[in-house]
Each structure stands twice: as structure tokens, then as C-alpha cells.
Amino acid sequence: MASGKINVSVENIFPLIKKFLYNDHEIFLRELVSNATDATLKLKHLTSIGEAKVEYGNPIIEVKIDKEGKKLHIIDQGLGMTSDEVEKYINQVAFSGAEEFLEKYKDSAKDSGIIGHFGLGFYSAFMVAEKVELITKSYKDEPAAHWTCDGSPEFTLIPSDKTTRGTEIILHIAEDSLDFLEEYKIKELLNKYNKFMPIAIKFGTKKQSLPKPEDAADDYVAEEIEVDNIINNPNPAWTKQPADLTDEDYKTFYHELYPMQFEEPLFNIHLNVDYPFNLTGILYFPKMSNDMQMQKDKIQMYQNQVFVTDNVEGIVPEFLGMLKGVIDSPDIPLNVSRSGLQADSNVKKISNYITRKVADKLKALFTENREDFEKKWNDIKIVLEYGMLSEPKFYEKAGSFILYPTVDNKYYILNELKEAIKDNQTDKNGKLVVLYASNKDAQHSYIAAAKDKGYQVLLLDSPIISHLIQKLEGDNENLTFVRVDGDSIEKLIEKDEVQISKLSDDETEKLKTVLETLVPKPTYNVQLEAMDSNASPFIITQPEFMRRMKEMSQSGGGGMFGMGNMPEMYNLVVNSNSELATTILNTTDKSTQEHLVKQALDLAKISQGLLKGEDLTAFVKRSFELIK
């Protein structure tokens, strides 16, 4: 029998482990199952190079609950340890056996999948256990060893009668952690952290029906047998080559990742790189809503098939955080602060690579089947538009596949759009004027008026479109965007004929004075314009700059521009060539004149969705009176 003190650099490592090493106590199971996986993969590697003269077989890892004895067992069939190795790897805390193994076999072990980053992982057991036993037998022909520690620096190490290769860890669960003896809890943790571990994990048994014999009678009842309940998938899709997977394989894996997700993904991007860092994974584009916050934290981060986190901020470009899928890289540290991740050179390279890979895939999808890409545009646009705003490298590539749809469901990329409007939509300074709507139904009358003049009208309705427009205008000096119900189109498009006013200058001034007396200030700025006599008599527009600033402040730009809550300001554009304008001007009865202005203003408000509450009620009542 041997006894002694564990070699630690602090007086007592265990309170440190329990309180500070990991934020969440449930991590202990991830660490211990990962260590068992390590031991198994090491043995696989040593047998493959002929250094271990044993039969590798089909080893599994078993997790068992002994609720009555208040014990949790983690059992592997890996390479095990000798007594000397227990002294070295268990008693010398933080001396990582996996790291030493990788150093020794660094050339041949390159692709063996050994985790090698867990270090203190074994001691995480003391976060939930008041005593830990380790019974282990090495693949070498040496006696088994039995190590015991009660959570103090004291340990015992004695010979064991274990005859089979591998290691069993027995956790005597502490009173404050008895929930880890519940079957549902352990199953939940194994599914969360170890669902895709590369070694099969057994947790209990399940019943399985035997195949029906060919000569069985019609009333044959299949015999059931107990079989191991393997709860993980050791060979998930992302570990395979894209050439070996079908579209159906990708969809099946998507539903394995997200069992409660019933909609199919639109398409996927398979990531696979081994230089200058290791990274594999599959990203899925699901159908997107306009609520960006609701979409986040759907990508799962793994390290050598061990689940790490679903908060991938700093690793995955922010705009792709709205996607779903999995990323696996041994080059991302497991337990490190977010600021540490952001400063990590490998993490920056990985983020840049993912951005480039996604952009390349999108371009390929657009080029190979533009029609299909256009059909999916409304379901993915929020991600790509956000990417253009937040990732310069993505913005550089996006011009070849970002679409600008019209209200008539025609799709342009930016260069095509410029070509389509260059002869018909330029302002007096030679700039191309891009007209767009943000709500096809609410702005229908404005859209119809623009289309009557032969203009193209885009439908840009995402919540961040004002920010994107600002950026596009900054990078394209000859381009200006104007919402179709914004500043009067007649002022902007050079080809519009200049209408001659039917009113004299004096009449125009008189009419403006009447209107300014009756129209609420400062919300509405009255403007008289000579338009076609068939055009709407009263039109409400909003100055493009003011409207855009207000939209940006509402969608997250308030702090950027210092706008806060901007006041509502509109233009009331009155067509001085309309019959209504002449009627208002020539009406001598002030009450009738006021009634006409108020009714016309309310009709213009309705077209902009601005008539609400008491004003709407009064308008409806007044309208019924008119048709009696």
C-alpha cells in the first residue's frame, strides 16, 4: 500500500476546483467522459502503430448510476494506467497526460482525435463528489491499481483485483449534488455534452425486438431482448467528407441536432479545413424572421466532438450567429474568457475563414441556380444584409449575390439594377435614383403612381435596411435611395416634365396661407406643387433624410447618431393643379373650407397609416355623414 500527499502547488486544490475552475458543476461529466474517450483513442492509436500488443476490439464507455449507494460510475475500456502512471497523472495535478502523449507521438498522432486540452478534467469530479475512487488496469502486463481520495490532499493507492483493461471512476456523490443520481439528469447531460463523442457511450439498456422468422405464423409475437442503450452518434455528419453525404444525410443530421425543428433547412455549408488551423462543421440556413435577437445562439461549438458552448460570439462572425449548425475545432480553447477568445489569433483566423467560406458558397448557389436562390431570398436576406453591415470581408464579396427585389418580384444584383434604371431614373445631378417601398400594401398608391411613370420600385423591408442604404450610398457616389412615399418623386427624377401651375403666383400664395392656417404645425410642412391634374390632390411624404435617421435610431442606430426619439415631421404636398385645390381656394365659407382641408388631410394620412385613435373615429363618423 502506498500513501502520501497529492503534489499540488496550492495548499488545497479542491475548493479552488469546486468554486472557480468551472462556472457550471455539470461540466464534470463532460470532462470525465472526455478523459475516457481520450484513453480509448490513445489505445486505438498505439495498436494501429503496433506499440500496444493487444486487441483493440469495439470498446465502449459506460455510465452507470447506483442510486441506493449514491454512486456514479464512468467505465472505459481504454489503455488504463499502472500504479506509477496514477502517481504521475493523477497525483501531479494539472499535468496533462494527453498533452504529454501528443508530444511523444506528435507526428503519428496528428489525426487520432485525442482531446489533450483537459488538464484538470479529472479533478472536476470533486465538484459533485465527496469521495472519488479510480480503479484502473493498464494494457501493459502490470497489476491493476485502486486510488481513493476524500476531497482532501490525502490519497491512498493500493493494488486492485481488476482483470480487464481500462479505467473505472466511482464518484460518491455529495449531499448537495444528489440530483446527479437521477437518470433524467445524467441522460440530459450526456445528450448535451457527449451526443457526438467518437466512442460509443452506453447508458442503461433498452428492449429490442428480434427479426420475425420467414416461416412465422401470422399471430407471431416478436421476442424482445435487452441490448446496450448507446446514446451517442460517434460518427456525426460533420466528421465525414462532403462527397460522402447526400442532401438527405444533411437533413437527417439537422433534425438530429434540432429534434424539435420541423421545418427543413434551406441549404447548408460544409466547412472542412486543416490549414492553417483545424476546423470542421456544417452550417444550416433556416428560414429567418426579422427578429435578429430571437435567432441567436443556435450554433453548437465542439472541440473534438465534445460540446463546449452554444454561445459562439467572437468565434463565428456575428451575422452568422443567426444560423444553425455545428462547428468543431481543436484549436479553440475550452475554458477561457470571451475577451481571451477575441484576442486569440486562431479564433480570428477561424472567424475570417468562415466568413469567406460562406460568401463563396452563396456565390456558387447564386451562379448554379439563380432561380432557386431568388426563391429563397426572403428567407435569408436578413442574415446577408446584416453581414454586409457588420463584416467588411463579407461586404467585399456580397455584390455578386446580394439581391434587390422589385415590388413585381423581379430580382437584380446591384450592377444589374444600375443598368436597369440608368436611362429612366436620374436626378438633376446625374445620380441614379433608386425608388423603394418598405411595405407593399401600405404604400400601394405611391407604388402605383411611380409605376405609372415607368419607374422601377424595389421592395426593401428588412428592419436594418436604412443602415444598409446609408452604406451603399457612401460606397456608390452616383447612387441615391428614396422611399417611394418620401420626398416628391417629381422633384427628383430628371425626366419628369415640369408642370405649369394653373394658379397665379398670388393665388398660390393665398392657397398656401389658407392651408398653413388649417394644417397642424410643426408636424406638417405645407408644399404646393404643380402636378398632373389627375395626381392625388393631397400627398403626405417624409423628408428622406429625417425618415431614415428616425428608422436607424429605432433599429439600433440611436446611440450611433445621437438622435434618440426624433419628432414626427412630414411634408404635405398639395397638387395646385387639382380641382380640390381650386375648390379650397375659392370657397368663401370658412367652415366648409376647413372641412374640405381636414377631410383631404385625413385621407392622405390614411394612405400613410397615420390616422389613428380619436382622429380615425372622427373621420369615419364624418365620412358617414357625407354619404347620407
Side-chain angles (χ1 to χ4, degrees), residues 31 65 222 265 340 387 429 463 498 522:
E31 301 289 286
I65 293 173
N429 298 314
V498 177

Side-chain angles (χ1 to χ4, degrees), residues 362-606:
L362 290 166
K363 183 178 180 180
L365 289 169
F366 173 80
T367 304
E368 292 164 9
N369 192 338
R370 177 166 178 164
E371 184 180 355
D372 185 59
F373 191 82
E374 289 176 352
K375 287 178 182 176
K376 293 172 178 173
W377 177 252
N378 283 329
D379 293 316
I380 63 174
K381 64 186 177 186
I382 188 70
V383 175
L384 308 191
E385 290 170 351
Y386 187 39
M388 290 181 73
L389 283 170
S390 60
E391 288 290 330
K393 291 184 181 299
F394 185 77
Y395 181 82
E396 290 171 11
K397 291 175 171 282
S400 60
F401 55 79
I402 292 292
L403 295 178
Y404 300 87
T406 71
V407 292
D408 299 315
N409 298 315
K410 186 173 182 178
Y411 292 83
Y412 295 106
I413 60 173
L414 191 58
N415 285 339
E416 293 170 346
L417 176 63
K418 291 177 181 179
E419 189 66 24
I421 66 174
K422 70 178 183 180
D423 296 327
N424 202 36
Q425 290 174 224
T426 55
D427 67 11
K428 294 171 177 60
N429 298 314
K431 278 190 174 184
L432 297 174
V433 180
V434 180
L435 297 176
Y436 72 98
S438 59
N439 187 313
K440 194 173 177 179
D441 293 328
Q443 293 152 12
H444 181 271
S445 63
Y446 297 90
I447 294 169
K451 288 175 64 178
D452 285 344
K453 293 178 179 291
Y455 300 145
Q456 296 271 14
V457 181
L458 301 185
L459 181 60
L460 306 178
D461 57 1
S462 73
I464 58 172
I465 200 64
S466 293
H467 297 280
L468 182 57
I469 284 172
Q470 199 83 351
K471 184 170 182 61
L472 289 168
E473 287 178 337
D475 293 336
N476 295 269
E477 292 182 1
N478 67 331
L479 207 62
T480 184
F481 284 76
V482 178
R483 203 167 81 175
V484 71
D485 61 344
D487 292 327
S488 179
I489 295 170
E490 282 73 9
K491 285 181 174 180
L492 295 167
I493 308 297
E494 187 175 27
K495 87 173 199 51
D496 279 336
E497 297 177 10
V498 177
Q499 296 286 332
I500 298 173
S501 178
K502 294 177 181 179
L503 303 179
S504 67
D505 290 346
D506 287 344
E507 288 174 323
T508 300
E509 194 61 37
K510 182 181 176 183
L511 177 59
K512 187 172 184 181
T513 300
V514 170
L515 293 168
E516 287 181 337
T517 303
L518 299 173
V519 172
K521 287 184 177 181
T523 305
Y524 295 96
N525 173 41
V526 176
Q527 299 176 358
L528 265 65
E529 292 185 18
M531 295 184 267
D532 187 291
S533 59
N534 293 321
S536 296
F538 277 38
I539 302 170
I540 292 175
T541 67
Q542 193 167 26
E544 182 69 17
F545 175 79
M546 294 296 294
R547 181 193 54 72
R548 201 181 296 177
M549 290 301 102
K550 183 173 178 64
E551 286 180 358
M552 286 195 286
S553 70
Q554 291 172 341
S555 64
M560 187 191 311
F561 297 100
M563 293 292 184
N565 292 320
M566 296 177 62
E568 298 287 351
M569 294 178 66
Y570 300 94
N571 295 323
L572 175 61
V573 182
V574 178
N575 181 3
S576 62
N577 285 344
S578 65
E579 288 186 23
L580 180 62
T582 304
T583 303
I584 293 170
L585 176 66
N586 295 329
T587 298
T588 56
D589 183 81
K590 296 297 181 185
S591 176
T592 303
Q593 194 178 56
E594 181 178 352
H595 183 82
L596 287 170
V597 172
K598 188 166 184 61
Q599 190 75 0
L601 177 60
D602 283 353
L603 285 166
K605 284 182 180 179
I606 285 176

